Amino acid sequence: MEELLEISYSLIGRTSLSFERYLKDKIAWDEKLIGIKGARGTGKTTLILQYLKRKKDEGFQVTYFSLDELFFLENSLVETAKAFYQNGGKILALDEVHKYPGWSREIKNLHDRYSDLQIIFSGSSIIDISKVEGDISRRAIIYELHGLSFREYLLFKKNLVLPLLSLEQIVSSTNDLRSFFPNDFKPISFFKEYLVTGYFPFSGKNEDLYFQKLRQMIRTIVEYDMAEIKGFDIRNGKKLLQLLYIVAQQVPFKPNLSSLASKTSIHRNSLSLYLQYLAEARLLELLYPEGISVSTLQKPEKIFINNTNYLFALAEKSPEIGSVREIFFQSQIKVNHQINYSKTVDFLVDKSFHFEIGGKNKSRKQLISEDHFLVKDDLEYPVGQNIPLWVFGFLY
């Protein structure tokens, strides 16, 4: 255990507080049991280490354990946490919990035994808290960390401190969006960079290396993380990678399951389940009409790659701009809003707002009422009733 504590001390000591994610201000840090889930690469570990660093500086005894450490092959979490607590420990952070068998039951037991011990746990987005052992879903407050918003990217990479906007502020006809930004702010060039390499906080200047890292991460998610999904057979990992690759060449599209089944050699009856697996791993996004529950029995109306960076990393050639636009829009909207398929426009948001996404030549023919909005990707600021696409990157 001493080695674990030394690793924790080192990690906390090296953690920088210079950039902190949007979720930091949403988490109720005074709760005794907090869960943070999300896809690989989004910054869950850093978020937790930053919290531990702040609390350590306040005088609390804290530690961080990653449950995929070899130590936990021979040692139980309960006994290790007990030793930490008995030596004055107050805040226990547990990472990669989905790699520890029976993690939810043991965390529940720790929470029940030590009422003054705060436990923060994190793991893959594939974790379905409602279905794990130990009835932890009623005890823990669960959050999900998404990739960088365009606003966060500008702070992280360009050191630009810019405002958080609500959807209502963006669509309001009475707001002058220019007034929220500095006079010299030119978003278009930054926005193009973000679409290609800005979604993950480890992005670098070398696109080829960044894309290689993304492809390796995708393979790890499919071949390593998804093994934790109940019912998933890891022997089908290669087929899932093939399915993801095929979708990346043509998203967003209305899926023809028979055609996809033929191309991937996945049985037609299993394909919907496979798509759901990829959605749970935050590699795909599945769009359903309003009123249709998300279910493996339902065919999605549209399939999206999860974010534009994945699309650029997986596409054989430069992605179709229409796909890039729609993927960006849904990746930013979904964090705080309900998004559904619409028969008349591209997206229905919160059952109230209708959005059509396009370029400079897109007309307003499909927009029939005041709650219908045209979003364009080649605008710096609104022109008439047209809303710039980039501004939806300021929702979180």
Side-chain angles (χ1 to χ4, degrees), residues 308-322:
T308 58
N309 289 191
Y310 276 166
L311 181 64
F312 278 93
L314 292 172
E316 288 183 345
K317 54 186 179 181
S318 182
E320 202 273 326
I321 187 60

Side-chain angles (χ1 to χ4, degrees), residues 114-150:
Y114 310 119
S115 60
D116 58 339
L117 175 68
Q118 184 184 42
I119 302 173
I120 302 166
F121 64 91
S122 72
S124 169
S125 55
I126 63 174
I127 296 173
D128 186 345
I129 299 297
S130 66
K131 296 181 181 178
V132 295
E133 297 176 352
D135 197 23
I136 200 172
S137 61
R138 292 193 300 176
R139 291 170 168 81
I141 297 180
I142 309 298
Y143 301 88
E144 180 163 1
L145 181 64
H146 297 268
L148 296 176
S149 67
F150 181 41

